[in-house]
Amino acid sequence: MAQRGVREYDAKHMLAKYWNDYVSKDFSYTGKVALVDPKTDMDKLANTHPWLKKDKLVVKPDQLFGKRGKHGLILLNATYADAKKWIKERMNKETKVGKVSGTLTHFLIEPFTPHKNEYYIAIKGNREGDTIYFSNHGGVDIESVWDTVAEIHIDIDENIEKRDFQKLLPKDTPQENKKIISDFIKGLYTFYDNLGYTYLEINPFAIENNEIVPLDLVARIDDTSEFEHTLQWGPLEFPAPFGRNLSPEELFVKELDAKTGASLKLTVLNPKGRVWTMVAGGGASVIYADTIVDLGFRDELANYGEYSGDPSTEFTYHYAKTILELMTKEKAPKGKPKILIIGGGIANFTDVAKTFTGITMALREFKKKIIDSNIKIFVRRGGPNYQEGLKIMKNLGKELEIPLEVYGPETHMTRVVPMALEGGKQ
Amino acid sequence: MTQTKPDYKLFDKDTRAIVFGYQQNAIQRMLDFDYACRRETPSVACIVNPTREGMHKCFWGTKEIMIPMYRTLKEATTKHKDADVMVNFASFRSAYETTKEALESKTIRTVAVIAEGVPEKRARHLAKIAKDKNKWIIGPATVGGLAAGKFKIGNTAGTLDNIITCKLHRPGSVAYVSKSGGLSNELNNIIARNSDGVYEGIAIGGDRYPGSVFVDHIMRYEKNPEVKMIVLLGEVGGTDEYEIVDLLKKGKIKKPLVAWCIGTCSKVFPAEVQFGHAGARAGAERETADAKNIALKDAGAIVPNSFEDFDKKIKQTFDKMVKEKKITPQPDVEAPKIPIDYKVAMKEGIIRKPTEFISTISDDRGEELLYCGVPISKVFKDDIGLGGVIGLLWFKKQLPKWATDFIEMVVLVTADHGPAVSGAHNAIVCARAGKDLVSSLASGLLTIGPRFGGAVQGSADHFTTYLYAGHDPAFMVKDMKKKNVNIQGIGHRIKSVTNPDVRVEILKKYAKKHFPNTETLDYALEVERLTTSKRGNLILNVDGCIGVLTCDMLRSIGYSRDQVKEFVKLGILNAFFVLGRSIGLIGHIIDQNRLKARLYRHPWDDILYDLPSKPEKVK
């Protein structure tokens, strides 16, 4: 994988834990954060976090989406009793945020801190190094005040001790704040750089009584650096992006995927769609979906699906079965067959005939339903032993008496798409 | 670094590589490609394998050659100064350090990093080092790439079949660069079918910060006069394609560029779906495949409407250049015949060979180990125990419980007989001489034979010989007396009719209760009746009892008398004794070592020294 979002709770917790090591000993961050998930006993939580019952609180969902204030998903200046009630009303509820609907499952509780000024800081990695963005005008859509933002570029492997950040701050930075802000910038960058972060934005944060108060924080971490940070991170969760709940079939494939070193992916885009794909390879699967969309059949595309990395016969069987189950839930619209594209590029070393074994098992099992649902199958694949693989498929079509067309490397990878959708052979 | 190649050429027919990581298949594939290209020297100069050094044997066509293998990259670069490429198969954990070391060496100019999952920060750092040193990285997270007819990185382009079909054993005129390594093989196919073939193809890898980017390779292709047209396969996410757009606009890319960015379907996907590649996620409109395709087209690239026309656009562009005499199509060249790998041929069922060994008792090749057809999981599930396993591996039978229990009783009863007997004594002396456990055990076991422990074997032999020949016990006693041979298994130093051996009593009682057939035991007991009438201690002893009962067990589980005789001849009875007594011998060895017992030396006073005053002289 790569850069992945982490919960605001985890990032803040980590920030507090390493504050003295990386940020500064001259000023502090209280690190008062608590996370509530569906299993949390909120009375017990108050025992381990006594401040929950003393302080006024802020509560908000912690599920990798922003603009929580705008969506009315933030509770301010609340007692713990208020917080419990507010969370209870929202926990496990389907909620729409912008265009995306999902279930609320995680909430962050922090002390409510009255403050004067709000500041903006973000650090973002790029090919040349990292860029720090700072403004004295945080808490708003930063694009609208972009001219107040100072950009500080840090080169790859640069020794930042030699940089004078005070000189790089925006001109409107009050003299009395210059030291604490520049020290915080340097410290936060060190924290970011030492813990595998690739994106860290605090918008806004406040400075009150020699304390930094990060009010809203967004962070992404490079999960491939896990082996370098295992001990520092502790158990760190990379939650799935907020979004629609997976269907049982998608969940099943996700579980299959987790069980094998190979890759099995399924996203149902439109269960009533006429065109289903089951494509070998990450790149090829995208191209098949592209072509279906490019040729004007975006409303007919039912799924995105990919299998790669040489899954075992058992796994390909279950995967193919899942797609066939979804496909045969409903009959084809009148006059138009349903289409299943069993596609793929030219495999490097995967034995094509072998990978087809699981698929043929599933097709055999679904013979009747395939006929009933008026499904037409198109196969295109190349690679080691592909002649044998294609022969197996061809014979299966005859044996099951289902419409099944088979093509090899001599046919352009996506040509089966127009053949299937626009009808007729080339 | 003595560089003879122009800047824009990373590989030629003399390029040699150091392969980091003992990837035997990849190495063989590189060599097969070399041979198909009719290279004079293998492209793999040496291998770096941190855990082993020496020589690696592999095929060069039909012959076998040796490739040196070193533990460190330093040694490899010192000894192979002509190798300017490193194919790095190090894992994502060590890819950074090893690539850095290679870039910092004097001789290596290009490093292909195969590993997936190299941290972004590390990959970015490597890219910077390479740039500062004017060197090249291909990857990470890639299969690599190839220069057709010249050099191939690792596993690029799949099997030899595919390489020949895609005409990759000789250079064509079209160079391509793609992100995806998986799709590079499809590109090889498309280009081979729609032009005179691939000149060079590089897959830069799907990570966010690849060591070299599209534009780096496209500019190489632009400068290389042997490249006539360029193909780009871009991807949704990131902005690298816009660097090409800029260069097109500035007129810096003059050769025809056929380009397509995959991921146009992302617009119909829910926001949270992530495609396979780490970089493949459109953060902004600019990063979508649609936006990139439009920008490329506007800048003058030849962009199809869909991947579906990609092949046609390549063909049209190529044909047009041929017509305009800008390309002279490269001729097809026949590749030398390369023998099919034995393993592949075997798998495909096109060859056969007689075997040298036969095994009828166990098979370790499948998913699960099989004991005589029984999966090891079933051995435990059915709880068949040690006796059951012996049944499967010695007798090739799934034995009933009474039989497996009997086998286990035999093991228990023979496990030990104190430190004084020959086997234990030898093992102890050997252990005390400081020898290891296996040697000490072997020393003890070697005493087992006709005199020690051999009575088990001997009694089975004696009793079945007379019984199966149809002689009555009285005849046997008389006949053995006449031959002046002691009946094995009869007689005990201390025990007698009035003071029976408890071990024998247990075994006899068990057999009488459970064995369907006790003909040998009954026969032996008749013999015992006769011998004890002469002297009280001429009883059937424990060895004898085990011997005859094992024969009865074999008869009871369905073996004929002839087969039982054969088992006796095979030494099956000794086998039981060896198995059981090994437990005791190992115990004694461990015991002595635990006690730190010192070297044993037999006392002089226990030896009668009786030497002649001088030897007899032979005349």
Side-chain angles (χ1 to χ4, degrees):
Chain A
M1 286 301 286
Q3 299 189 7
R4 296 177 68 185
V6 292
R7 293 196 198 283
E8 185 170 350
Y9 168 82
D10 284 319
K12 283 182 169 171
H13 187 72
M14 217 188 281
L15 184 61
K17 190 172 163 194
Y18 293 106
W19 188 272
N20 286 345
D21 297 340
Y22 294 127
V23 186
S24 177
K25 284 176 185 156
D26 298 338
F27 49 93
S28 60
Y29 163 47
T30 63
K32 285 179 182 172
V33 275
L35 184 71
V36 178
D37 68 23
K39 286 184 196 147
T40 308
D41 178 334
M42 289 196 64
D43 295 323
K44 276 189 191 155
L45 189 71
N47 293 336
T48 49
H49 300 71
W51 53 270
L52 284 170
K53 285 191 165 165
K54 286 184 208 139
D55 295 352
K56 285 289 185 185
L57 305 171
V58 179
V59 190
K60 54 192 177 182
D62 190 359
Q63 290 180 251
L64 311 188
F65 62 83
K67 303 207 167 88
R68 290 163 285 197
K70 254 189 196 167
H71 293 103
L73 287 171
I74 190 159
L75 176 69
L76 296 169
N77 203 7
T79 65
Y80 194 50
D82 297 337
K84 276 203 270 192
K85 184 165 168 275
W86 193 83
I87 290 173
K88 205 180 162 195
E89 283 163 10
R90 284 161 184 80
M91 180 63 87
N92 288 325
K93 295 271 159 62
E94 178 101 8
T95 306
K96 196 161 185 196
V97 179
K99 288 179 188 165
V100 185
S101 284
T103 307
L104 296 179
T105 53
H106 289 74
F107 295 87
L108 175 74
I109 312 180
E110 288 175 292
F112 174 73
T113 315
H115 54 273
K116 293 183 290 286
N117 275 329
E118 295 193 333
Y119 304 89
Y120 169 86
I121 185 164
I123 312 172
K124 198 177 170 186
N126 50 57
R127 195 172 169 82
E128 281 71 43
D130 299 283
T131 308
I132 302 169
Y133 302 89
F134 172 78
S135 165
N136 291 293
H137 306 275
V140 292
D141 179 6
I142 199 68
E143 302 280 340
S144 65
V145 291
W146 197 248
D147 52 353
T148 68
V149 176
E151 285 186 33
I152 306 168
H153 178 76
I154 310 283
D155 268 339
I156 291 167
D157 234 18
E158 183 182 331
N159 179 5
I160 60 158
E161 290 306 319
K162 291 180 180 161
R163 289 288 281 274
D164 183 356
F165 284 98
Q166 286 203 32
K167 278 189 188 153
L168 303 167
L169 295 178
K171 289 202 177 65
D172 62 356
T173 311
Q175 188 58 40
E176 69 269 22
N177 276 351
K178 277 189 174 166
K179 184 168 170 9
I180 191 167
I181 288 175
S182 61
D183 285 356
F184 178 54
I185 290 176
K186 189 190 268 182
L188 192 69
Y189 176 77
T190 313
F191 167 80
Y192 162 101
D193 189 45
N194 277 285
L195 284 160
Y197 283 78
T198 58
Y199 184 78
L200 183 60
E201 181 193 72
I202 311 177
N203 183 26
F205 70 91
I207 306 170
E208 295 295 322
N209 309 321
N210 215 33
E211 252 179 38
I212 302 285
V213 187
L215 295 162
D216 211 330
L217 184 151
V218 178
R220 282 204 300 270
I221 281 182
D222 177 8
D223 72 349
T224 59
S225 69
E226 187 182 355
F227 70 93
E228 296 180 344
H229 300 295
T230 317
L231 289 177
Q232 287 171 305
W233 289 352
L236 179 65
E237 188 198 355
F238 293 100
F242 184 73
R244 97 210 135 84
N245 299 319
L246 296 181
S247 67
E249 289 86 0
E250 288 169 319
L251 211 60
F252 175 70
V253 171
K254 201 176 164 189
E255 280 162 13
L256 283 183
D257 183 56
K259 273 188 226 158
T260 157
S263 166
L264 298 162
K265 302 267 180 300
L266 173 66
T267 305
V268 178
L269 299 167
N270 171 14
K272 290 186 191 306
R274 204 161 61 83
V275 187
W276 294 76
T277 61
M278 185 155 67
V279 179
S285 60
V286 173
I287 293 182
Y288 277 94
D290 280 356
T291 307
I292 294 164
V293 173
D294 294 340
L295 296 187
F297 296 90
R298 62 185 284 176
D299 298 333
E300 312 247 33
L301 178 61
N303 76 318
Y304 168 74
E306 177 245 333
Y307 67 97
S308 60
D310 209 3
S312 72
T313 300
E314 194 197 339
F315 281 94
T316 16
Y317 161 71
H318 282 296
Y319 182 71
K321 213 176 116 176
T322 309
I323 290 182
L324 286 169
E325 264 162 18
L326 282 166
M327 247 192 118
T328 53
K329 266 187 187 169
E330 284 172 55
K331 288 205 164 166
K334 259 197 187 140
K336 281 184 174 176
K338 283 197 178 187
I339 305 289
L340 173 63
I341 295 175
I342 301 174
I346 296 170
N348 278 311
F349 298 106
T350 311
D351 185 320
V352 172
K354 217 180 110 206
T355 62
F356 279 166
T357 318
I359 300 178
T360 52
M361 280 161 64
L363 289 173
R364 236 185 222 115
E365 203 177 305
F366 273 75
K367 174 186 169 163
K368 194 172 172 305
K369 285 185 172 177
I370 289 172
I371 295 167
D372 290 349
S373 309
N374 189 16
I375 292 173
K376 233 180 139 173
I377 300 169
F378 289 82
V379 180
R380 194 276 184 181
R381 188 82 163 114
N385 211 9
Y386 79 91
Q387 293 94 335
E388 180 66 21
L390 298 185
K391 204 169 87 192
I392 290 170
M393 284 304 221
K394 213 173 244 172
N395 292 340
L396 186 79
K398 281 186 204 147
E399 177 201 321
L400 302 183
E401 297 174 313
I402 52 174
L404 192 150
E405 292 182 22
V406 177
Y407 302 91
E410 69 291 341
T411 304
H412 185 56
M413 193 171 91
T414 53
R415 196 110 318 140
V416 292
V417 175
M419 283 183 202
L421 295 171
E422 291 164 355
K425 287 186 194 181
Q426 293 256 324
Chain B
M1 179 167 52
T2 49
Q3 197 180 311
T4 51
K5 291 186 276 279
D7 270 356
Y8 54 76
K9 238 183 200 180
L10 297 184
F11 317 112
D12 63 21
K13 232 178 161 161
D14 301 314
T15 296
R16 304 198 81 206
I18 295 170
V19 174
F20 191 104
Y22 196 28
Q23 294 278 332
Q24 302 181 43
N25 288 339
I27 292 163
Q28 188 58 59
R29 283 167 189 148
M30 284 174 77
L31 262 51
D32 284 348
F33 175 82
D34 296 345
Y35 191 79
C37 299
R38 299 180 195 272
R39 268 183 65 128
E40 276 168 22
T41 49
S43 62
V44 180
C46 65
I47 301 158
V48 180
N49 177 2
T51 58
R52 227 182 91 192
E53 64 204 320
M55 285 288 174
H56 170 67
K57 202 156 62 85
C58 44
F59 286 110
W60 177 251
T62 50
K63 281 191 313 192
E64 280 187 293
I65 55 167
M66 309 260 261
I67 294 179
M69 182 151 72
Y70 310 104
R71 279 178 194 266
T72 63
L73 180 60
K74 194 162 186 246
E75 200 178 350
T77 51
T78 314
K79 293 195 173 151
H80 300 272
K81 292 197 165 61
D82 62 330
D84 71 347
V85 174
M86 179 164 103
V87 179
N88 193 353
F89 283 102
S91 76
F92 62 90
R93 287 167 193 273
S94 50
Y96 171 71
E97 279 80 13
T98 48
T99 304
K100 189 160 172 268
E101 192 187 347
L103 291 172
E104 282 163 357
S105 76
K106 283 203 185 96
T107 49
I108 292 172
R109 177 185 173 216
T110 308
V111 185
V113 187
I114 311 302
E116 240 177 90
V118 177
E120 287 178 4
K121 186 177 154 180
R122 305 295 177 201
R124 200 170 72 170
H125 193 197
L126 291 174
K128 182 179 189 290
I129 297 173
K131 201 174 172 191
D132 291 349
K133 293 187 177 283
N134 200 19
K135 294 191 175 190
W136 289 83
I137 295 174
I138 297 168
T142 180
V143 67
L146 60 77
K150 299 183 181 110
F151 178 82
K152 173 175 107 90
I153 297 169
N155 290 317
T156 307
T159 55
L160 200 58
D161 256 7
N162 186 63
I163 286 165
I164 308 292
T165 317
C166 294
K167 302 189 279 195
L168 297 170
H169 59 289
R170 102 290 180 262
S173 309
V174 184
Y176 73 83
V177 57
S178 79
K179 245 189 183 206
S180 159
L183 283 172
S184 64
N185 220 3
E186 190 64 41
L187 281 174
N188 291 329
N189 179 47
I190 295 172
I191 293 171
R193 287 178 194 277
N194 294 286
S195 72
D196 67 349
V198 170
Y199 175 84
E200 184 176 326
I202 299 289
I204 59 169
D207 279 0
R208 185 175 296 258
Y209 303 128
S212 55
V213 293
F214 292 136
V215 69
D216 297 331
H217 296 285
I218 287 181
M219 288 323 285
R220 283 199 302 112
Y221 298 156
E222 176 66 23
K223 284 181 207 150
N224 187 340
E226 290 163 24
V227 175
K228 307 295 179 193
M229 67 179 259
I230 305 168
V231 170
L232 164 76
L233 192 65
E235 205 172 84
V236 57
T239 56
D240 290 353
E241 288 84 353
Y242 289 100
E243 295 175 25
I244 305 163
V245 170
D246 287 345
L247 290 172
L248 281 167
K249 281 183 181 161
K250 285 180 193 154
K252 296 219 167 134
I253 301 170
K254 294 192 178 66
K255 293 177 184 173
L257 171 69
V258 182
W260 177 251
C261 296
I262 73 168
T264 54
C265 64
S266 68
K267 55 185 174 278
V268 306
F269 279 57
E272 68 274 11
V273 175
Q274 163 101 40
F275 294 127
H277 290 156
R281 182 157 195 177
E285 173 58 26
R286 213 172 115 79
E287 296 187 26
T288 62
D290 284 336
K292 290 181 187 180
N293 284 326
I294 291 169
L296 282 163
K297 193 170 188 174
D298 289 348
I302 302 150
V303 179
N305 294 320
S306 152
F307 187 85
E308 180 46 19
D309 309 329
F310 201 37
D311 58 337
K312 287 172 203 152
K313 290 287 178 201
I314 292 170
K315 186 166 170 52
Q316 281 164 14
T317 310
F318 181 81
D319 289 349
K320 191 166 159 250
M321 291 185 78
V322 173
K323 217 171 154 194
E324 291 168 358
K325 300 218 165 11
K326 286 179 184 158
I327 294 182
T328 316
Q330 296 297 313
D332 285 345
V333 176
E334 204 183 326
K337 201 140 183 76
I338 295 181
I340 187 166
D341 242 26
Y342 174 75
K343 267 190 202 158
V344 178
M346 210 50 180
K347 207 170 133 196
E348 288 179 12
I350 54 180
I351 53 164
R352 61 185 184 189
K353 89 173 184 59
T355 51
E356 294 290 347
F357 287 93
I358 307 172
S359 165
T360 67
I361 58 163
S362 73
D363 186 346
D364 60 330
R365 295 167 306 167
E367 289 260 305
E368 235 188 285
L369 176 64
L370 299 177
Y371 288 167
C372 196
V374 179
I376 191 75
S377 59
K378 197 167 153 47
V379 166
F380 285 92
K381 200 174 140 229
D382 295 353
D383 200 15
I384 67 171
L386 177 66
V389 170
I390 291 174
L392 293 175
L393 294 178
W394 290 10
F395 304 111
K396 303 207 289 173
K397 280 187 196 283
Q398 193 183 328
L399 299 182
K401 181 133 174 56
W402 64 261
T404 64
D405 282 352
F406 170 72
I407 290 172
E408 286 174 20
M409 285 170 79
V410 171
V411 172
L412 300 183
V413 149
T414 54
D416 197 43
H417 203 213
V421 296
S422 296
H425 180 80
N426 251 27
I428 288 169
V429 171
C430 192
R432 288 181 60 174
K435 298 290 287 202
D436 61 288
L437 185 134
V438 179
S439 305
S440 306
L441 174 63
S443 157
L445 291 176
L446 287 174
T447 60
I448 297 172
R451 295 190 186 161
F452 173 63
V456 178
Q457 180 82 22
S459 69
D461 187 21
H462 287 175
F463 286 112
T464 52
T465 302
Y466 284 94
L467 170 65
Y468 294 175
H471 299 302
D472 62 31
F475 176 82
M476 174 178 176
V477 175
K478 218 157 75 200
D479 196 47
M480 293 290 277
K481 172 99 186 139
K482 203 162 89 193
K483 288 179 181 157
N484 210 9
V485 177
N486 287 333
I487 302 173
Q488 292 281 292
I490 291 286
H492 197 279
R493 234 159 46 84
I494 306 152
K495 301 287 175 189
S496 64
V497 190
T498 46
N499 174 23
D501 184 337
V502 63
R503 297 173 298 174
V504 176
E505 294 308 305
I506 292 168
L507 289 170
K508 278 198 304 202
K509 205 172 142 201
Y510 182 84
K512 277 289 167 204
K513 189 167 172 199
H514 296 285
F515 279 31
N517 180 342
T518 54
E519 58 177 11
T520 328
L521 176 67
D522 298 341
Y523 191 86
L525 290 177
E526 272 303 303
V527 171
E528 181 190 43
R529 208 172 53 77
L530 297 171
T531 51
T532 48
S533 66
K534 291 176 186 166
R535 207 147 30 110
N537 69 343
L538 290 181
I539 53 166
L540 180 66
N541 61 30
V542 70
D543 293 350
C545 188
I546 291 169
V548 297
L549 282 179
T550 304
C551 297
D552 283 341
M553 182 197 76
L554 292 171
R555 290 283 288 128
S556 302
I557 61 175
Y559 286 112
S560 68
R561 283 179 165 183
D562 283 349
Q563 284 170 313
V564 172
K565 266 315 242 195
E566 202 191 332
F567 272 123
V568 173
K569 245 191 254 157
L570 288 173
I572 208 90
L573 283 302
N574 272 342
F576 277 115
F577 190 79
V578 166
L579 177 70
R581 188 53 55 91
S582 291
I583 297 171
L585 295 180
I586 290 169
H588 285 295
I589 295 159
I590 293 171
D591 192 36
Q592 295 302 310
N593 287 337
R594 214 166 23 210
L595 294 167
K596 311 235 177 314
R598 295 168 60 188
L599 177 67
Y600 176 75
R601 195 173 196 288
H602 204 71
W604 284 334
D605 61 7
D606 194 39
I607 298 168
L608 167 64
Y609 292 91
D610 181 22
L611 291 73
S613 54
K614 54 183 180 188
E616 187 188 339
K617 223 175 198 166
V618 180
K619 281 174 190 155

